[in-house]
Amino acid sequence: FVFHVLNDPTHTSAIWAAQRVPDDHVVVIANMFIIREINVSDSANFLYSDNMFSIAKQHKLWAEGTPFDFTRVYSDGEYAHKYYSGRRMWGAARLLAPSLGLRPEYGNLKTDAPYPFSFRPDRHVAPPDFFRVLRDWYGGTPYD
C-alpha cells in the first residue's frame, strides 16, 4: 500500500488515504502525493479516513458526485518548483519501464495527472535497478 496522511483543520486528527500497489508494479513517490481517484466501492485496494470527503466538501475542495482525486484535493502540488517531483517520477519510469513512453513535459502535475499511480516494469527489478534510479541525473537526456 501507499499511504498518504495530512493533519485535519483542527490539528487534532488526520485525513488519510491508502491505495494497494499491484504485486507486479512499482511506485515512485517523489515528495508529492500520488494517490488519484479513490474507488469507494473497492475496499480491497482503497482505504481512507472517515473525514476525507466531509472536510473536502466543507472547504469547497471537492463537489459531491464528482470523482475524488486525493492528490488534486489535498496536495500542495510540487514542492519548490515545477518538475521538482514529476521529473523524478518520469526519470524512474524511463529507466524501469521505457516501453510506457511517458513524456518528461507536463502542464501541472497536481491537476493533470500525467503519470500513473504505479506501473509494471519492463523486466524484473533488482536492488541494482533501485540504486540506478536513485543515482540518476537524467544522463543522455536534454536534462543532463
Side-chain angles (χ1 to χ4, degrees):
F1 274 88
V2 168
F3 175 73
H4 295 320
V5 63
L6 65 149
N7 60 312
D8 78 349
T10 68
H11 300 278
T12 60
S13 189
I15 303 161
W16 60 269
Q19 183 175 349
R20 183 183 302 273
V21 179
D23 290 340
D24 58 348
H25 279 214
V26 297
V27 297
V28 181
I29 305 171
N31 299 93
M32 188 174 153
F33 291 162
I34 63 167
I35 296 174
R36 291 297 184 164
E37 191 171 326
I38 303 285
N39 183 344
V40 297
S41 63
D42 184 0
S43 61
N45 291 300
F46 293 92
L47 304 169
Y48 48 87
S49 60
D50 292 338
N51 60 358
M52 184 181 75
F53 295 107
S54 61
I55 292 172
K57 190 174 168 185
Q58 176 186 358
H59 291 273
K60 299 182 180 5
L61 302 171
W62 168 74
E64 194 167 353
T66 63
F68 192 92
D69 181 325
F70 189 86
T71 295
R72 185 174 287 172
V73 171
Y74 286 117
S75 176
D76 285 337
E78 291 186 271
Y79 177 81
H81 59 79
K82 184 177 180 179
Y83 302 122
Y84 181 84
S85 300
R87 189 64 48 81
R88 290 182 287 152
M89 294 168 75
W90 166 80
R94 96 178 198 295
L95 295 173
L96 300 175
S99 65
L100 290 175
L102 298 178
R103 301 183 43 79
E105 305 288 334
Y106 51 84
N108 183 315
L109 187 59
K110 176 182 171 178
T111 58
D112 297 343
Y115 305 123
F117 164 77
S118 67
F119 58 88
R120 179 179 291 118
D122 287 350
R123 62 181 181 78
H124 176 75
V125 177
D129 298 307
F130 288 110
F131 299 146
R132 188 171 51 122
V133 168
L134 293 172
R135 290 181 183 132
D136 185 43
W137 71 93
Y138 314 117
T141 74
Y143 315 106
D144 186 352

